[in-house]
Amino acid sequence: MNLYDLAREHALIASSAEVLGWDQETFLPEAAATHRANQLAWLTAKAHELSTSDAWKRALSGAEASDDRSNPAYSANLRELRRRFHRATKLPVELVSREAHVSSLAKHAWAAAREASDFTVFAPHLEKLVAIAREKADRWGYPDEPFDALLETYERGATTRSVAGLFDTLRPKLREIADCAVDHSSRRSARLPAGPYPIEQQQKLNEAVARSLGFDFTAGRIDTTAHPFCTTLGPRDVRLTTRYDENDFTSSLFGVMHEAGHGLYEQGLPDADFGLPSGEAVSLGIHESQSRLWENHIGRSDAFWWKWFPIACDHFPQLRSIRFEDFLEVIRRSEKSLIRVEADEATYDLHILLRFDLERGLIRGDLKVNDLPAAWNERFHALFGMTPVDNRHGCLQDIHWSMGGIGYFATYTLGNLNAAQLFEAAKRQPAVTNGIGNGDYAPLLAWLRKNVHALGGTLDPTELIRHATGTTPNADAYLAHLNTRYCG
Ligand SMILES: [Zn+2]
């Protein structure tokens, strides 16, 4: 079999696992959980076996030997498949299964530790996860420091040095922006009119909005889960989920806009390249740029609500009692909070910078696991001017580290930076700007299709941003956006 056939077979197995995983999160009856876990473990093992097999290795080497570099997308696919093969085969089976075992115990320990707000319950597990992460980094190799290899898992081509450089630029400016946004909000008393906002009406509005952004419901759907997500089950099959709060319709709406942003990216990938890097999203930082662009740059803008506020009033008559200007204040309210997932646009990235510094310290060995709660609280105070009441509201709040996801957090802020930079570039097209002003998002989507979605994974994230915007990734557009919106 040639490499492309093998890669497609791998994608068929992996996408079958996605179907089972989606069903597990949405509709799976409780008693079916064990069998489902067995099915998923079996498919995951099959996919891994195939992608590290001798047949795969021979096909990859054969394809590389015959690559005449006349087709850049083909060469890019080979480069990326080689990178993945390297990463998959550098880890011995013993290490992979040890990690699976340690992280499954760690997840349970984390949940118990969080419940009891007792870090000592989680600490020995985190100790092991950090050691495994370092071991993996050593086996993969890295340019400067082990953390590079972990970042690479989520954001290919990113280095700790470049990300830390961006974050150092951001830190003092984000603190200023957060201060003025929070100060502004504290002097406003606008509140969303009291509920209920019936779920059925929310669903209607969410669907109308997602459709207007360009989400194709013949190739996707929206369901309900405790934790919203977007997953792709195959070409032309993108599933979004959200959750509903009967007292606040904006929570599910912005959730849907966020997930629809991810979904639009997936629906815009070239179908014919299914199973190849050129048919896949490039990285989490680019994926997150698509969700944040639609959620924040479109969804929290004045222009969006010029069109959608009257429609929302038709769905929820009580909205007629709030002034339009006050409604805009409500959806842009900013306050300093202890919990990342509850943070607003103006304060969110400070939560990420904190985590990035700490996990980098853990991997370098500068920070000992036992010192994490104190380091968290000290840094949190320096950034936010307040101290978490307990570890549950501090270093135990996120699931990521318990799953071994060290290096993941940075992609959220990279997504924000990328979103602003891409949006600024798109708006240089008069058709895009005019469309947004009229509630017509087709020109913006067409720009994203051409400059981001259609490229799949043929360029590294940094190259993609340079290609689409004309400049290397930087914080200028994002800071300008936040300043205009929150400190104008
Ligand atoms: Zn997202």
Side-chain angles (χ1 to χ4, degrees):
M1 246 203 260
N2 76 31
L3 181 65
Y4 274 26
D5 291 337
L6 287 168
R8 289 204 172 91
E9 188 175 326
H10 180 268
L12 285 172
I13 301 173
S15 61
S16 303
E18 292 294 337
V19 178
L20 297 180
W22 170 81
D23 176 66
Q24 185 177 39
E25 299 298 322
T26 48
F27 297 117
L28 190 77
E30 207 183 318
T34 308
H35 182 64
R36 179 53 48 86
N38 292 339
Q39 291 175 309
L40 281 167
W42 187 80
L43 285 171
T44 307
K46 283 289 152 201
H48 182 75
E49 226 169 76
L50 179 64
S51 66
T52 53
S53 65
D54 286 339
W56 188 289
K57 187 179 179 181
R58 276 196 306 276
L60 181 56
S61 301
E64 285 168 337
S66 63
D67 180 19
D68 63 5
R69 314 259 155 179
S70 61
N71 178 347
Y74 183 74
S75 301
N77 279 337
L78 295 190
R79 263 200 316 280
E80 176 56 13
L81 289 169
R82 169 60 69 184
R83 188 186 75 93
R84 290 182 196 175
F85 184 76
H86 171 86
R87 285 177 74 88
T89 52
K90 280 288 167 182
L91 305 185
V93 178
E94 177 278 321
L95 173 56
V96 175
S97 60
R98 177 154 47 96
E99 185 186 27
H101 182 67
V102 167
S103 62
S104 106
L105 294 177
K107 241 192 314 181
H108 287 289
W110 167 76
R114 181 168 175 253
E115 184 68 35
S117 199
D118 182 355
F119 184 71
T120 61
V121 174
F122 180 51
H125 298 270
L126 183 58
E127 199 85 66
K128 285 183 194 157
L129 288 167
V130 168
I132 287 175
R134 253 192 246 139
E135 195 178 335
K136 285 165 67 180
D138 286 338
R139 290 186 182 271
W140 281 329
Y142 46 83
D144 285 325
E145 56 179 272
F147 197 75
D148 290 331
L150 305 177
L151 260 184
E152 174 83 20
T153 311
Y154 309 103
E155 201 65 15
R156 74 189 217 216
T159 62
T160 313
R161 188 199 300 252
S162 66
V163 173
L166 274 174
F167 288 5
D168 287 342
T169 315
L170 279 173
R171 197 172 291 103
K173 295 177 178 154
L174 285 174
R175 286 189 55 194
E176 278 172 31
I177 290 165
D179 282 342
C180 71
V182 169
D183 178 59
H184 178 88
S185 287
S186 70
R187 287 184 280 110
R188 299 286 188 286
S189 57
R191 291 275 177 275
L192 196 67
Y197 293 86
I199 289 174
E200 205 180 310
Q201 290 297 96
Q202 293 191 43
Q203 286 170 330
K204 280 187 192 154
L205 180 66
N206 294 350
E207 198 175 311
V209 168
R211 206 181 288 282
S212 87
L213 306 185
F215 187 77
D216 178 359
F217 279 92
T218 67
R221 49 180 290 141
I222 305 177
D223 293 280
T224 308
T225 51
H227 302 284
F229 62 85
C230 165
T231 184
T232 297
L233 308 188
R236 320 301 303 140
D237 190 356
V238 177
R239 309 295 175 97
L240 316 180
T241 72
T242 192
R243 60 177 163 212
Y244 299 93
D245 176 352
E246 287 212 279
N247 296 311
D248 181 0
F249 77 99
T250 66
S251 138
S252 77
L253 176 64
F254 286 123
V256 164
M257 291 188 80
H258 181 98
E259 300 308 335
H262 286 302
L264 287 168
Y265 185 13
E266 292 287 326
Q267 288 183 338
L269 294 167
D271 293 351
D273 290 12
F274 172 70
L276 301 172
S278 54
E280 291 169 8
V282 57
S283 73
L284 292 184
I286 298 297
H287 230 307
E288 197 65 9
S289 78
Q290 300 304 292
S291 55
R292 304 276 173 144
L293 190 155
W294 292 103
E295 177 194 356
N296 288 332
H297 292 268
I298 295 296
R300 289 190 162 83
S301 68
D302 292 9
F304 178 81
W305 290 101
W306 293 335
K307 171 176 175 177
W308 287 96
F309 186 69
I311 300 172
C313 288
D314 292 341
H315 286 70
F316 314 111
Q318 66 264 47
L319 274 183
R320 297 203 173 94
S321 67
I322 185 173
R323 287 167 53 225
F324 181 65
E325 295 69 29
D326 289 339
F327 178 75
L328 293 177
E329 292 284 346
V330 168
I331 61 164
R332 294 179 204 146
R333 176 179 305 285
S334 181
E335 67 189 329
K336 290 182 179 171
S337 64
L338 298 171
I339 305 291
R340 175 185 63 86
V341 295
E342 290 165 10
D344 52 78
E345 190 185 16
T347 58
Y348 186 86
D349 296 288
L350 291 176
H351 292 270
I352 299 304
L353 268 45
L354 167 90
R355 286 154 178 76
F356 176 81
D357 290 344
L358 293 175
E359 59 183 9
R360 187 185 180 194
L362 286 173
I363 295 300
R364 277 182 163 180
D366 305 346
L367 174 62
K368 300 282 168 262
V369 165
N370 285 334
D371 298 331
L372 180 65
W376 180 290
N377 292 350
E378 189 187 312
R379 277 164 182 268
F380 195 89
H381 191 271
L383 287 170
F384 292 88
M386 54 193 199
T387 307
V389 284
D390 53 23
N391 289 328
R392 183 189 159 92
H393 293 85
C395 65
L396 285 174
Q397 65 182 269
D398 295 306
I399 196 171
H400 301 57
W401 291 338
S402 78
M403 297 165 69
I406 299 172
Y408 188 115
F409 282 117
T411 66
Y412 293 119
T413 289
L414 293 175
N416 281 330
L417 299 178
N418 293 333
Q421 206 170 331
L422 289 168
F423 191 55
E424 190 189 67
K427 284 191 299 180
R428 283 182 223 136
Q429 311 295 318
V432 171
T433 317
N434 293 337
I436 291 169
N438 298 323
D440 172 13
Y441 311 110
L444 172 60
L445 181 59
W447 189 91
L448 292 169
R449 288 269 188 261
K450 175 168 176 272
N451 291 286
V452 181
H453 306 174
L455 300 175
T458 53
L459 300 177
D460 273 356
T462 304
E463 295 166 344
L464 184 143
I465 292 296
R466 204 182 295 127
H467 182 266
T469 69
T471 41
T472 41
N474 64 75
D476 298 350
Y478 186 48
L479 289 169
H481 158 73
L482 291 178
N483 267 309
T484 308
R485 179 169 286 178
Y486 295 99
C487 307

